[in-house]
Amino acid sequence: MRTKTATAARAGASPSGRRRPKHKDNRIAFAMIAPAVILLSIFVVWPLVYAWVVSFYQWSFYESSVFVGLRNFRIVLEDPVFWASIGRGLTFSAITVPAILLIAFAFANLVKTMSARMAGVLKVSIYIPSVISFVIASIVFVLIFEYRQGLLNFLISSFGGSDVAWIGSARTALLAISVPAIWIGLGLASLIMLAGLLDIPESYYEAAEMEGANWFQRTFFITIPLMKNILLYVLVTTFVATIQQYELPLVMTQGGPTQSTLLPNLLIFQKFTNDLYLGYPIAAALLLFLVLGAISAVIFKLINSEKAVDG
Amino acid sequence: MRTTRAVLGGLAAMVTVGLALTACSGTPEDSGNGGGDAPDGATEVTFWQSQFTDEENEWYESVVDAYNESQDEVHVNLTVVPADAWEQRMTAAQAAGNAPDVRTMNYGDIRDAARTSQITALTDLISEEAWSDLQENVLESVSADGEHFGYPMLVEPSAVLYYRTDLFDEAGLSGPPSSWEELIDYAEQLTDDQVFGMRLAQTSVDMSWSTWGYQWNVAGHLPISQDWSEPAANDDFAPLLQAFQDLFDSGALPPGDGIGYADATPYGEGEFAMMANGSWAASQLLADYPEIAEVTEVAAMPSFSGEPGETTATLGGWTWVVDGNSDVSAEAADFIEWSLGGDPENVVPFFEATVFSKVSPRQSVADVIAELPDVDSINPWNETIQTDIVPFAQQEPAYPWNVSLAMGEAIEAAMQGTPVDEALATANDKIATEIANSELAGTGS
């Protein structure tokens, strides 16, 4: 009897022998997700599979491909310029991501305390940089950082300081391109954080205040724990966006001076346009994909994401 | 209600600002197209030219129009591509299978492009008469394995010293520097709050090609062995890297300003007392900055030994090639021959428009230009360039770009403070890697 029931269950029939009716929304559900699946397959899955295939070939647009096994990956992995660019990307993220998180968090707290009208003005102000293209931002900041006629050096010299080669020196160039990256990244991070802040019930703060908790205690024991998922999301997306940044160094410094702003994607881009064969950029892009995926996984693991108790 | 209006107002403002900024930040379009509409039944040939000066762009458009009007079987469509977007646009077009049938190309890129089948051999597609009209050494620059892969349009020395006589007089300097030691000394003397002493290439990319002549001069060889089997970025190049470092440290050579080596604008705007630039800068200075041109003289870039008559420049230039995947290579070659290799009168206006700052590699064109009465009055620097620079210039090297880039990066690193020997050792390693990765050994001349 037991065997018969199990067999019936495996066959998809109910223990009573009647077939379980299909869920009546299944067809609609499949139809709804079909466009996304098809588009993802065309624009994400297939290119990714194709990239992996091509990465094993010496490939150009004019000659027949030659299978070279792991040669492209070996060349990339043995290239100190690639590893230096990964390290530089991590440094760039280490500068920009904490700055974006801290400023956005402070800004969101500030907006929360404002009147509705003032909050609206502030939200628009902080979001405007997000709709400016990186190319335009790059040009604006080049004008600001220019050596002799730049706005920043004009201000410094008016206080008696001497000109600084902000984007012309290997010592300061990475820091200089971090500024527009932070400026542009603030908008979205601030609005997401504000949404998270507004989602926390006001009664928690009222209760804490009645218990005598000061602002820091309320922030560290109520706000941050309840915004954990928001912070994790902003952290991961901002990290991935910044380490993949290439427009700013492309326009502002072309990766120089002395490759001090050559971020990973800009290196791949340069290799794509300069190299006779395209094995290097494809292998490098796939390796960067693996590095980013691994780092994101580590972040998720370290900051264990879980649903807020009463969020 | 008030809140709703405020929110809607804010959104409207954001959308407006966003749209405005998006409009501003759109991808720049190709500037200028030529060719007009193709007649029925005509074979269409696409032609991409890198964007040059306005005068040059006008000549390209006029020669395409003239060719299209001269017959009705082939119709050429011209596209002008911004120089700084060229590589991206071309690679994207090649990836999509839409590369133009004809395009402009540097001499230095010919060998690599031929080796990887990116361009078509034109030996049999262009008449022997047109080939035989070319100077032998220039023809070699477009040849590989016994085939000609491009038709040369012009040659121009990559490094000419332009200097301000008014500022030299003020500083008590009587003439151009004859050695790099003097160049550094003069540059320091000429630097003040308003003017920098010397303009050279400021990025590794520009240093990679604009210093070929200096590399020849200081070392007597280039940083790779002749057969491309061994790296040769050795201590012979140290004085060159040291000179860039000294100039930068003194403040006479400023940090990069984002303007490429080939653009003479900063000198024309009066920001520099001396400038190294190609002969092409003459046309820009004479056309756009006549007041600065009035107080400018030219000379050969100094040698490291201090002796005149040494190589300090390479002869670069532009050639037209046919894409390796073109389906209309015969028609494309016909257009090239008609424009560059046919009637000299088709191409002489180009040299007139560029105030004879470039040289034709064709004997018959050079003969026509030599007969013109006013070449030296149109370009007051022409004689010096032709006498003191061109005869001593070397052809551009044909090895892969990454070899040149390794040296450019070494010079930039030294300029930024890296010890010279360390910078050269890094360059040597990079060139060795390039030789191995691109399997260059034995493929050189």
Side-chain angles (χ1 to χ4, degrees):
Chain A
M1 185 66 189
R2 190 175 164 188
T3 307
K4 188 180 173 186
T5 306
T7 307
R10 277 202 301 275
S14 66
S16 61
R18 288 163 55 192
R19 283 180 65 84
R20 191 167 57 197
K22 281 184 182 175
H23 198 292
K24 62 183 177 182
D25 292 336
N26 273 1
R27 198 168 291 174
I28 295 173
F30 283 128
M32 297 285 274
I33 63 169
V37 170
I38 292 168
L39 289 173
L40 274 173
S41 302
I42 294 172
F43 294 109
V44 178
V45 179
W46 170 241
L48 192 59
V49 171
Y50 188 63
W52 278 107
V53 171
V54 164
S55 68
F56 296 110
Y57 286 84
Q58 180 171 289
W59 184 58
S60 84
F61 306 127
Y62 290 87
E63 293 174 332
S64 303
S65 300
V66 179
F67 183 78
V68 292
L70 293 170
R71 183 174 184 269
N72 293 324
F73 290 96
R74 182 182 58 75
I75 289 173
V76 175
L77 291 170
E78 288 176 356
D79 185 1
V81 177
F82 173 74
W83 289 111
S85 77
I86 295 283
R88 204 172 294 117
L90 292 173
T91 307
F92 182 69
S93 294
I95 297 169
T96 51
V97 173
I100 289 172
L101 289 177
L102 285 173
I103 299 172
F105 185 74
F107 181 84
N109 275 284
L110 179 70
V111 170
K112 194 185 167 194
T113 63
M114 295 284 170
S115 65
R117 175 178 294 213
M118 196 61 199
V121 172
L122 282 176
K123 279 188 281 188
V124 171
S125 308
I126 198 79
Y127 195 71
I128 281 178
S130 302
V131 297
I132 295 176
S133 87
F134 279 103
V135 175
I136 297 292
S138 302
I139 293 167
V140 169
F141 276 86
V142 164
L143 297 176
I144 292 172
F145 288 135
E146 247 187 353
Y147 183 55
R148 265 212 178 154
Q149 294 160 346
L151 183 63
L152 186 55
N153 278 345
F154 171 76
L155 291 174
I156 290 172
S157 60
S158 64
F159 288 103
S162 54
D163 291 344
V164 177
W166 295 106
I167 53 176
S169 165
R171 282 189 289 276
T172 52
L174 191 66
L175 201 60
I177 66 165
S178 300
V179 176
I182 294 167
W183 182 63
I184 289 178
L186 273 180
L188 194 59
S190 298
L191 293 191
I192 291 173
M193 286 212 192
L194 181 61
L197 266 182
L198 295 175
D199 222 20
I200 299 173
E202 202 55 39
S203 57
Y204 290 8
Y205 293 106
E206 290 166 0
E209 275 183 56
M210 287 173 66
E211 296 291 334
N214 60 27
W215 184 86
F216 286 102
Q217 288 169 322
R218 294 199 300 275
T219 300
F220 282 100
F221 295 111
I222 297 175
T223 310
I224 292 178
L226 288 176
M227 284 182 65
K228 193 172 173 184
N229 290 342
I230 297 278
L231 291 171
L232 181 63
Y233 170 77
V234 176
L235 174 65
V236 171
T237 53
T238 311
F239 165 73
V240 171
T242 52
I243 202 172
Q244 296 204 78
Q245 174 58 246
Y246 79 97
E247 295 104 319
L248 289 171
L250 175 69
V251 178
M252 292 179 73
T253 59
Q254 293 89 52
T258 63
Q259 301 185 332
S260 60
T261 55
L262 188 64
L263 300 181
N265 268 359
L266 182 57
L267 170 69
I268 292 168
F269 180 74
Q270 286 184 351
K271 288 285 184 183
F272 178 70
T273 52
N274 286 342
D275 282 13
L276 299 176
Y277 296 101
L278 300 174
Y280 185 109
I282 290 168
L286 291 170
L287 288 170
L288 179 64
F289 167 73
L290 293 180
V291 169
L292 285 182
I295 294 175
S296 300
V298 169
I299 294 175
F300 274 111
K301 190 78 179 169
L302 290 178
I303 309 171
N304 190 20
S305 172
E306 57 192 25
K307 192 178 187 310
V309 178
D310 193 17
Chain B
M1 192 66 177
R2 244 176 98 182
T3 311
T4 309
R5 264 208 310 271
V7 170
L8 289 173
L11 281 172
M14 283 171 64
V15 169
T16 308
V17 171
L19 287 174
L21 292 169
T22 306
C24 290
S25 63
T27 307
E29 291 292 320
D30 296 336
S31 53
N33 291 287
D37 295 328
D40 290 342
T43 303
E44 295 207 44
V45 171
T46 51
F47 177 25
W48 283 14
Q49 69 150 111
S50 180
Q51 188 172 28
F52 301 107
T53 62
D54 291 344
E55 294 79 15
E56 289 169 88
N57 298 337
E58 281 168 20
W59 176 83
Y60 275 88
E61 200 164 335
S62 69
V63 82
V64 166
D65 288 341
Y67 175 75
N68 288 339
E69 284 167 17
S70 72
Q71 42 74 52
D72 53 13
E73 292 179 358
V74 179
H75 187 86
V76 177
N77 296 307
L78 173 67
T79 301
V80 184
V81 179
D84 56 359
W86 177 270
E87 294 297 342
Q88 296 94 297
R89 290 289 307 273
M90 183 55 65
T91 310
Q94 289 171 326
N98 295 327
D101 299 304
V102 181
R103 62 180 184 267
T104 51
M105 182 176 274
N106 278 306
Y107 293 115
D109 293 334
I110 291 281
R111 288 269 295 269
D112 270 348
R115 189 161 63 90
T116 50
S117 309
Q118 292 184 42
I119 51 179
T120 299
L122 301 178
T123 316
D124 299 329
L125 298 176
I126 288 179
S127 71
E128 182 54 34
E129 186 186 357
W131 293 121
S132 62
D133 196 21
L134 290 165
Q135 290 173 23
E136 192 60 35
N137 60 342
V138 181
L139 191 57
E140 279 175 25
S141 300
V142 295
S143 303
D145 298 330
E147 297 275 5
H148 309 315
F149 285 88
Y151 198 87
M153 179 180 179
L154 59 94
V155 289
E156 47 195 353
S158 60
V160 173
L161 179 67
Y162 297 81
Y163 63 98
R164 291 267 301 271
T165 52
D166 55 336
L167 299 178
F168 268 58
D169 289 345
E170 280 174 26
L173 301 171
S174 57
S178 57
S179 67
W180 272 79
E181 201 176 333
E182 264 187 10
L183 177 83
I184 296 167
D185 179 34
Y186 284 18
E188 288 178 19
Q189 289 187 52
L190 291 160
T191 300
D192 60 26
D193 290 345
Q194 303 297 318
V195 176
F196 292 108
M198 184 68 197
R199 180 172 176 81
L200 289 162
Q202 294 176 311
T203 64
S204 57
V205 171
D206 279 347
M207 287 170 181
S208 302
W209 61 271
S210 68
T211 63
W212 281 326
Y214 316 149
Q215 292 174 35
W216 269 113
N217 183 252
V218 73
H221 60 86
L222 291 166
I224 188 168
S225 63
Q226 271 203 323
D227 64 353
W228 300 357
S229 59
E230 298 286 338
N234 52 31
D235 286 345
D236 295 346
F237 296 95
L240 172 61
L241 276 67
Q242 191 63 55
F244 270 80
Q245 193 174 74
D246 292 345
L247 275 168
F248 190 72
D249 285 348
S250 72
L253 176 66
D257 52 16
I259 299 174
Y261 170 82
D263 190 342
T265 300
Y267 179 85
E269 301 278 354
E271 295 170 23
F272 289 85
M274 293 187 283
M275 168 182 72
N277 208 321
S279 65
W280 57 83
S283 61
Q284 187 183 1
L285 293 175
L286 291 165
D288 300 340
Y289 303 101
E291 289 176 5
I292 293 291
E294 190 72 27
V295 291
T296 292
E297 285 291 344
V298 302
M301 277 296 285
S303 63
F304 280 86
S305 69
E307 295 297 322
E310 293 187 6
T311 296
T312 54
T314 46
L315 281 182
W318 292 93
T319 174
W320 293 7
V321 299
V322 175
D323 189 72
N325 288 341
S326 174
D327 295 328
V328 290
S329 52
E331 290 83 353
D334 180 70
F335 162 63
I336 292 175
E337 180 168 358
W338 188 91
S339 304
L340 300 182
D343 186 349
E345 293 304 327
N346 288 337
V347 74
V348 166
F350 173 83
F351 295 97
E352 285 176 318
T354 52
V355 297
F356 308 105
S357 59
K358 305 160 196 298
V359 180
S360 172
R362 282 183 63 195
Q363 190 56 51
S364 55
V365 175
D367 290 345
V368 172
I369 290 173
E371 294 299 317
L372 297 174
D374 51 358
V375 172
D376 290 336
S377 61
I378 292 172
N379 181 350
W381 308 313
N382 179 58
E383 189 181 349
T384 305
I385 292 171
Q386 300 305 329
T387 309
D388 296 347
I389 301 172
V390 172
F392 309 106
Q394 295 270 358
Q395 293 298 315
E396 285 185 352
Y399 46 65
W401 171 246
N402 284 341
V403 176
S404 299
L405 190 60
M407 272 305 279
E409 287 170 354
I411 296 169
E412 189 188 40
M415 190 178 87
Q416 290 277 339
T418 302
V420 167
D421 54 349
E422 198 180 303
L424 281 170
T426 304
N428 212 50
D429 289 346
K430 286 181 182 172
I431 294 169
T433 303
E434 179 64 21
I435 290 170
N437 290 348
S438 296
E439 298 170 347
L440 296 181
T443 60
S445 52

